[in-house]
Amino acid sequence: MSKTISKAKKETRGFLTDEHMMFRDSVRKFIEKEIEPNYEQWEKDRIIPRELWTKLGEQGFLCPSVDEKYGGMGVDFIFDVVISEEFARVGAGLSGIGLHSNVVTPYITSFGTEQQKQKYLPKFASGEWISAIAMTEPGAGSDLQKIETTAIKDGSDYIVNGQKTFITNGILSDVVIVACKTDPKAVPAHNGVSLLIIERGMEGFTRGRKLDKVGMHSQDTAELIFENVRVPAENLLGDEGKGFLYLMHKLQQERLLTAVGAIVAATDMLELTLQYVKEREAFGRLIGKFQNTQFTLAEIATQVKIGQTFVDDLIIRHMEGQNIVTEVSMAKWWITDMARKISADCMQLHGGYGYMEEYKIARRYRDIAVTPIFAGSNEIMKVIIAKNLGL
Ligand SMILES: Cc1cc2nc3c(=O)[nH]c(=O)nc-3n(C[C@H](O)[C@H](O)[C@H](O)COP(=O)(O)OP(=O)(O)OC[C@H]3O[C@@H](n4cnc5c(N)ncnc54)[C@H](O)[C@@H]3O)c2cc1C
């Protein structure tokens, strides 16, 4: 039995079947062969090559829950979780792949017409087309009602003008779901928001800067510019004026998977640090024998365990279709905040080596910092929780 299979078999999480564990094993084998040997280079290149996407597609590692008739495998959400966890074990730079499969694709499966599903889903599943979702603008992030990108009807087309920023897969994407104002005067403002599917090659659609980030280096993040882009009305996703509602509906899964990624990163930071303090000595003792180290790691291990237990419960409830917006908001803020804090503690226990790029904890420290900010900032998560507490 291979080392990876025996590791996978140790799983005790109740929702994982033998099929999920076998699938995890095949994802791990793929990562060992195709991703780990190249990951450092992609971090330096500040992008992941397109070839990886098509290789992932060949293996069924993109959009696995999409129906078989549209090129997916028609499997349950746990398969998406397994892929997200395995990618997160390597590093946060792969998160654009999860965004494609688990955030953008569900908009098409839930709100797309039959024609849109047939056009986009098979190419999303094969990796031939890479997707992105563009909500944020230079002047509007948390307050999405304030977006200024407009899509004004002209005959049977929309004319789109505006700019988006911080867009994951911004450079590589072939298909972008863009939040626009089809009725800029609507009251309340969110009733004027619609989603349009904009494709690479449409005249007037260009990329701005590839943004230089503190971390998540291999994930491309970019600005998108729309200047009089003529978009056929058939590229409207769902109904006009319902874009904001659709976004709110789909954010539960995005935020849950952000929490999944953060708990994987936290677990990895704990393991890296445990290993380090069991090897490094000072004053004739292992670092792990100082009470400060023991208490710090005991606290971290407790928080990681609590976070994992919470996330696992939410994974099941999300798969059952429950409305768990409040709980997912709690998990998103608490786990990302915890992971960010422990990244500093784990770096501290590595001493000077922790600040060196050759130690993985340094990259974890850089990468985790964004998780309390994106997918809805942690302050916005608390706004949602407070609102649902009746405040
Ligand atoms: C690496 C990366 C990838 C991203 N990928 C995407 C993507 O693919 N698509 C996309 O559309 N966007 C993406 N984003 C954008 C991200 O979702 C936004 O950055 C985020 O929603 C915050 O918006 P903002 O940056 O405009 O901050 P602002 O909204 O300006 O917030 C600034 C600060 O004020 C706080 N704040 C705002 N409102 C309140 C309030 N009501 N109460 C209390 N505090 C408040 C915020 O929490 C934050 O701390 C990405 C961002 C990053 C960094």
Side-chain angles (χ1 to χ4, degrees):
M1 188 186 285
S2 80
K3 201 170 137 210
T4 45
I5 292 174
S6 62
K7 252 196 250 165
K9 284 253 156 73
K10 277 191 205 147
E11 301 254 24
T12 52
R13 297 155 78 201
F15 55 79
L16 290 163
T17 63
D18 284 350
E19 277 163 13
H20 296 131
M21 289 195 275
M22 277 163 58
F23 185 71
R24 187 188 293 284
D25 189 48
S26 59
V27 177
R28 280 189 184 175
K29 282 188 179 134
F30 179 88
I31 287 173
E32 276 168 24
K33 183 163 171 263
E34 302 287 350
I35 296 182
E36 277 171 349
N38 301 309
Y39 191 69
E40 288 303 327
Q41 188 56 47
W42 299 339
E43 283 279 294
K44 287 191 189 120
D45 296 344
R46 300 291 206 260
I47 202 151
I48 289 168
R50 288 190 84 90
E51 302 82 73
L52 177 70
W53 291 76
T54 42
K55 283 183 185 171
L56 287 164
E58 279 163 23
Q59 299 298 317
F61 297 158
L62 295 176
C63 319
S65 46
V66 161
D67 206 286
E68 281 174 284
K69 72 175 171 175
Y70 302 119
M73 297 196 296
V75 291
D76 64 42
F77 175 65
I78 306 295
F79 285 81
D80 292 305
V81 171
V82 165
I83 297 173
S84 299
E85 288 180 341
E86 291 308 313
F87 285 176
R89 270 160 42 92
V90 181
L94 300 170
S95 59
I97 299 167
L99 178 119
H100 166 82
S101 295
N102 309 317
V103 177
V104 185
T105 300
Y107 279 93
I108 308 279
T109 54
S110 297
F111 310 120
T113 60
E114 183 55 34
Q115 198 190 3
Q116 288 169 343
K117 288 178 188 174
Q118 284 180 18
K119 180 173 181 188
Y120 299 111
L121 295 176
K123 291 200 162 97
F124 282 9
S126 68
E128 194 181 331
W129 281 353
I130 296 170
S131 67
I133 179 145
M135 300 174 261
T136 308
E137 298 184 358
S142 305
D143 191 5
L144 274 181
Q145 296 187 63
K146 290 275 153 44
I147 57 167
E148 289 179 353
T149 298
T150 52
I152 305 301
K153 245 332 186 6
D154 181 46
S156 61
D157 299 332
Y158 290 96
I159 306 294
V160 179
N161 279 290
Q163 192 181 339
K164 298 288 179 181
T165 194
F166 303 150
I167 305 308
T168 302
N169 299 334
I171 297 293
L172 286 175
S173 53
D174 305 289
V175 176
V176 188
I177 296 179
V178 183
C180 313
K181 285 264 176 81
T182 40
D183 180 1
K185 294 201 177 90
V187 181
H190 61 77
N191 283 344
V193 176
S194 304
L195 303 181
L196 282 184
I197 308 173
I198 300 190
E199 299 167 19
R200 181 186 286 282
M202 285 182 170
E203 209 179 322
F205 169 29
T206 53
R207 322 277 153 165
R209 288 175 301 155
K210 175 140 90 69
L211 299 165
D212 197 7
K213 303 191 297 300
V214 169
M216 301 181 88
H217 286 155
S218 46
Q219 184 227 85
D220 92 77
T221 310
E223 297 169 331
L224 305 179
I225 297 158
F226 306 96
E227 286 170 309
N228 291 320
V229 185
R230 186 168 281 279
V231 181
E234 68 202 36
N235 282 31
L236 176 71
L237 189 60
D239 294 331
E240 211 176 84
K242 294 224 175 117
F244 197 79
L245 260 172
Y246 298 153
L247 293 171
M248 295 307 114
H249 185 261
K250 286 295 170 202
L251 284 169
Q252 175 167 305
Q253 178 154 311
E254 179 176 5
R255 289 171 181 161
L256 175 56
L257 288 165
T258 303
V260 167
I263 199 69
V264 171
T267 307
D268 192 41
M269 290 188 270
L270 171 63
E271 285 169 3
L272 289 168
T273 311
L274 278 172
Q275 193 183 340
Y276 188 80
V277 302
K278 286 177 184 169
E279 286 165 6
R280 175 83 175 171
E281 286 185 13
F283 297 96
R285 298 161 78 183
L286 289 169
I287 302 290
K289 291 295 172 195
F290 295 115
Q291 193 182 50
N292 174 63
T293 307
Q294 294 171 348
F295 282 12
T296 303
L297 288 173
E299 285 173 19
I300 291 174
T302 308
Q303 293 177 78
V304 167
K305 187 81 183 163
I306 291 169
Q308 186 71 66
T309 308
F310 190 20
V311 159
D312 285 357
D313 177 55
L314 296 182
I315 288 169
I316 297 165
R317 294 174 62 191
H318 177 70
M319 203 168 71
E320 286 170 352
Q322 294 185 32
N323 180 343
I324 47 167
V325 167
T326 308
E327 292 85 345
V328 165
S329 305
M330 290 172 175
K332 196 275 173 182
W333 90 254
W334 191 83
I335 293 170
T336 58
D337 193 62
M338 177 270 287
R340 182 181 54 83
K341 284 180 183 148
I342 74 160
S343 72
D345 291 336
C346 290
M347 179 183 272
Q348 184 72 15
L349 288 174
H350 278 72
Y353 290 101
Y355 199 62
M356 297 299 129
E357 281 292 327
E358 64 198 273
Y359 281 76
K360 193 179 178 189
I361 192 65
R363 200 175 70 216
R364 286 286 183 202
Y365 176 86
R366 280 193 281 103
D367 287 353
I368 204 70
V370 75
T371 60
I373 298 171
F374 67 10
S377 74
N378 285 2
E379 291 73 26
I380 295 300
M381 295 305 100
K382 291 174 198 174
V383 170
I384 295 169
I385 296 162
K387 192 173 158 219
N388 294 345
L389 288 171
L391 299 171

